[in-house]
Amino acid sequence: MALTIYRSLLWVLFCLSLKATASELRSDELVVPSNLAQGGLVIATVAPGYSVKYKGEPLKINEKGMFILGLGRDADELMRLVVANDKGHQTDYTFPVAKRKYNIQSIEGVPQRTVTPNLEDVARIRQDSLLVKNARQGVSDRQDFLAGFKKPLEGPVTGVYGSQRVYNGTPKNPHYGVDYAAPKGTIVRAPAAGVVQLAHSDLFYSGGTVIMDHGFGLNSSFLHLSAVLVAEGQEVKQGDPIGKVGATGRATGPHLDWRMNWLNVRIDPQLVMESLPAE
Ligand SMILES: [Zn+2]
């Protein structure tokens, strides 16, 4: 009994030592936002000279000690960071991650071939996913994300991150983007600056597709475009036109599907806009 009380007292003291404000958890060497959630982008800071590992991998840290990482749709309830000083002394930190509820969304009327692809399609899908994987590879030095993110167009949100998708009655993978409905031909603008990694007029599932690198492993994808207005390798500023809304690939009508990734982790663009709003 006495031991239990002692332990909870230690826990409270530990929490107090981490808690500086309501919105962040702070220790001498680490500052992490307190509102971590599945699908979110974590923007945190470590003291000079320290390194940080997440899931065994060292994270890229900028000159101010800032680093980022993405939490997946089904991320564990605790995020663990290992912080080390230049002498190699390590400290483990764990932070709670809020669980999210995802709805089920049924979509009727997509081309049946995009639900039950034939053998030829399957080969194409494999090729496409390689192109996409390559476009999302690498952790560049760019820090475009620091200026924040804006909506790529104005339009009603018709699909959200994480929902379980049922296409023409067949359960499929969850939806990982945010869908904005807009008339065909509506200009899609870069939500943040970056460099174009992929500009393709016709991928099997996503049709006209643009992928942009915003730096530190963070990237955006724009799907179902009727026209691609940028070329691979092109530098794009925030607000620049990058494509036009369409219904190419697996879509029932014209809309933009905007996705975001941190490395291979799919994150929620709506949460990214909340954590990194543009001025
Ligand atoms: Zn979508």
Side-chain angles (χ1 to χ4, degrees), residues 151-156 180-183 186-187:
K151 279 193 260 181
L153 56 76
E154 286 301 328
Y180 296 97
T186 303
I187 295 289

Side-chain angles (χ1 to χ4, degrees), residues 105 107 158-160 165 167 175-180 223-224 250-251 255-259:
Q105 190 179 23
I107 312 272
T158 53
V160 294
R165 279 277 168 100
Y167 288 98
H175 186 249
Y176 285 106
V178 52
D179 286 337
Y180 296 97
L223 281 53
H224 311 305
R250 185 162 70 185
H255 73 283
L256 172 71
D257 184 339
W258 172 28
R259 303 189 171 199

Side-chain angles (χ1 to χ4, degrees), residues 5-6 20 47 50 75 83 90 123 134 147 162 174 180 182 195 211 233 253 276:
I5 290 168
Y6 176 63
Y50 285 77
V83 174
Q90 289 194 348
N134 283 338
Y180 296 97
V195 63
I211 299 181
L276 286 169

Side-chain angles (χ1 to χ4, degrees), residues 41 132 135-137 144-145 148-152 176-178 180 188-199 208-223 225 230 236 238 242 256-263 265-270 272-273 276:
L41 179 70
V132 169
R136 285 184 180 146
Q137 230 165 35
D144 302 302
F145 57 92
F149 286 79
K150 278 182 184 163
K151 279 193 260 181
Y176 285 106
V178 52
Y180 296 97
V188 176
R189 296 182 183 280
V195 63
V196 177
Q197 298 291 347
L198 180 94
T209 306
V210 170
I211 299 181
M212 275 180 71
D213 171 29
H214 306 294
F216 276 45
L218 193 63
N219 61 69
S220 285
S221 307
F222 308 89
L223 281 53
L225 304 173
V230 287
V236 174
Q238 186 174 55
I242 52 173
L256 172 71
D257 184 339
W258 172 28
R259 303 189 171 199
M260 287 198 73
N261 267 59
W262 176 73
L263 304 174
V265 181
R266 298 163 182 281
I267 57 175
D268 184 347
Q270 290 186 299
V272 174
M273 280 192 288
L276 286 169

